[in-house]
């Protein structure tokens, strides 16, 4: 049970299962994603009673990774450890590159990447298409997204040894839906140009690219966010959104390109007995 609990106490190492719907398909030309990604994500690992933010820090990430090893989950294929919208801090005043939160990650992201790689894990980071990310992670600051820095940020991630990138749809670009297809194609191009191949997950890309999505990413969302309560994805609204997305012509998924219904939240504060 430890592996899947979340939010039971401030700072508790919450667990999320990365899941993907497996059905057959096209692929982003980076040679990655031959199988669906599985592992743990920091998303909604809550340090506040209301579970309203994505809190994460170096200690939590290492504890979660060790738990994956100790419980045998890593051997079963859960080998990704991903930071969601909680790690970044600001841009460097010297060259404009993204920096990590030094209070949460005192050893630095490259050092954490090396530690995880030494343990046999792959490592993922998060960014957004717009000028800001979706959440501050409970901090009283605005977290920069990648708009205007696509190639720079993709190469920064590559230089840190990152294996997986989640590309969200927040910031000033959120309501500029006419920019959607171009933004996702531009980010995919930046990822392919980077000095290291990295698995790409997009949150909103399917809405903009639909049947062409598999050519620009390794994984695409086709449902609303999963929630930490028994209703979860089974609410009427979520059911309708998922069915509508599929009706739009979602390509079947398979090696290299996977449709995803979001992270699976299990055993958290909202999942008490009904």
């Amino acid at each position: 049970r430890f592996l899947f609990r979340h939010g039971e106490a401030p700072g508790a190492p919450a667990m999320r299962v990365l899941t993907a719907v497996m059905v057959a398909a096209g692929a982003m030309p980076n040679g990655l994603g031959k199988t669906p990604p599985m592992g743990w994500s920091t998303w909604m690992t809550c340090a506040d009673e209301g579970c309203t933010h994505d809190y994460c820090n170096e200690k939590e990430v290492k504890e979660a990774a060790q738990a994956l090893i100790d419980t045998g989950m890593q051997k079963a294929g859960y080998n990704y450890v991903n930071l969601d919208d909680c790690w970044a801090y600001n841009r460097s005043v010297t060259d404009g590159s993204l920096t990590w939160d030094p209070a949460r990650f005192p050893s630095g992201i490259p050092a954490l990447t090396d530690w995880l790689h030494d343990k046999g894990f792959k490592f993922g980071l998060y960014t957004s298409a717009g000028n800001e990310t979706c959440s501050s992670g409970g901090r009283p600051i605005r977290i920069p997204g990648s708009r205007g820095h696509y190639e720079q940020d993709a190469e920064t991630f590559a230089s840190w040894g990152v294996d997986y990138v989640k590309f969200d749809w927040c910031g000033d670009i959120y309501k500029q839906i006419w920019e959607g297809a171009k933004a996702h194609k531009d980010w995919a191009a930046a990822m392919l140009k980077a000095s290291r191949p990295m698995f790409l997950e997009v949150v909103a890309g399917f809405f903009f690219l639909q049947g062409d999505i598999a050519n620009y990413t390794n994984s695409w969302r086709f449902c609303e966010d999963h929630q930490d309560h028994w209703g979860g994805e089974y609410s009427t609204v979520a059911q309708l959104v998922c069915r509508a997305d599929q009706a739009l012509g979602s390509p079947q998924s398979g090696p290299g390109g996977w449709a995803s219904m979001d992270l699976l939240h299990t055993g958290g504060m909202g999942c008490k007995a009904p």
Side-chain angles (χ1 to χ4, degrees):
R1 171 155 181 333
F2 167 78
L3 185 62
F4 301 107
R5 78 182 177 212
H6 113 83
E8 295 181 348
M15 289 291 164
R16 289 293 166 280
V17 180
L18 302 180
T19 60
V21 176
M22 293 179 282
V23 248
M28 183 177 181
N30 58 6
L32 302 178
K34 299 303 183 184
T35 58
M38 301 193 300
W40 176 85
S41 168
T42 63
W43 177 240
M44 297 305 288
T45 56
C46 307
D48 62 327
E49 184 63 27
C51 196
T52 56
H53 294 291
D54 179 19
Y55 290 85
C56 68
N57 57 56
E58 190 173 312
K59 179 176 180 292
E60 177 204 31
V61 172
K62 289 183 176 181
E63 287 178 351
Q66 191 60 51
L68 288 172
I69 295 171
D70 296 343
T71 57
M73 294 297 285
Q74 184 192 47
K75 286 186 177 180
Y78 291 82
N79 58 5
Y80 279 96
V81 174
N82 294 350
L83 307 188
D84 209 273
D85 193 0
C86 61
W87 68 271
Y89 189 66
N90 56 22
R91 290 196 175 273
S92 167
V93 295
T94 56
D95 63 4
S97 60
L98 281 173
T99 64
W100 55 84
D101 187 326
R104 294 185 174 189
F105 299 94
S107 299
I109 293 297
L112 179 60
T113 307
D114 289 343
W115 186 90
L116 288 166
H117 284 169
D118 288 345
K119 294 284 186 178
F121 289 103
K122 297 177 182 179
F123 179 59
L125 287 180
Y126 165 105
T127 190
S128 177
N131 67 326
E132 295 176 0
T133 65
C134 299
S135 168
S136 64
R139 296 164 292 180
I141 57 174
R142 302 282 189 178
I143 306 302
S146 289
R147 194 172 197 181
H149 298 267
Y150 284 8
E151 288 192 7
Q152 181 181 30
D153 290 355
E155 182 53 39
T156 294
F157 297 158
S159 72
W160 292 345
V162 170
D163 304 291
Y164 185 117
V165 176
K166 177 179 175 180
F167 189 64
D168 212 339
W169 185 255
C170 283
D172 58 353
I173 205 170
Y174 181 75
K175 293 184 178 180
Q176 298 172 8
I177 58 175
W178 58 89
E179 296 283 359
K182 184 178 185 301
H184 283 84
K185 289 179 179 180
D186 287 350
W187 179 258
M191 290 276 286
L192 291 172
K193 186 178 179 180
S195 59
R196 176 185 179 85
M198 296 174 284
F199 185 103
L200 175 58
E201 172 198 351
V202 298
V203 175
F206 171 67
F207 176 80
F208 301 113
L209 296 172
Q210 296 185 30
D212 203 26
I213 185 65
N215 293 315
Y216 297 99
T217 187
N218 300 112
S219 177
W220 60 91
R221 284 271 300 279
F222 69 98
C223 269
E224 288 197 337
D225 288 1
H226 188 267
Q227 302 296 325
D228 178 27
H229 57 76
W230 287 110
E233 290 290 2
Y234 299 98
S235 68
T236 301
V237 172
Q239 284 278 0
L240 290 173
V241 169
C242 290
R243 294 180 186 214
D245 282 352
Q246 293 176 73
L248 284 172
S250 177
Q252 289 188 323
S253 59
W258 303 96
S260 169
M261 294 180 72
D262 197 15
L263 307 178
L264 179 63
H265 293 221
T266 60
M269 294 172 65
C271 292
K272 298 175 183 178

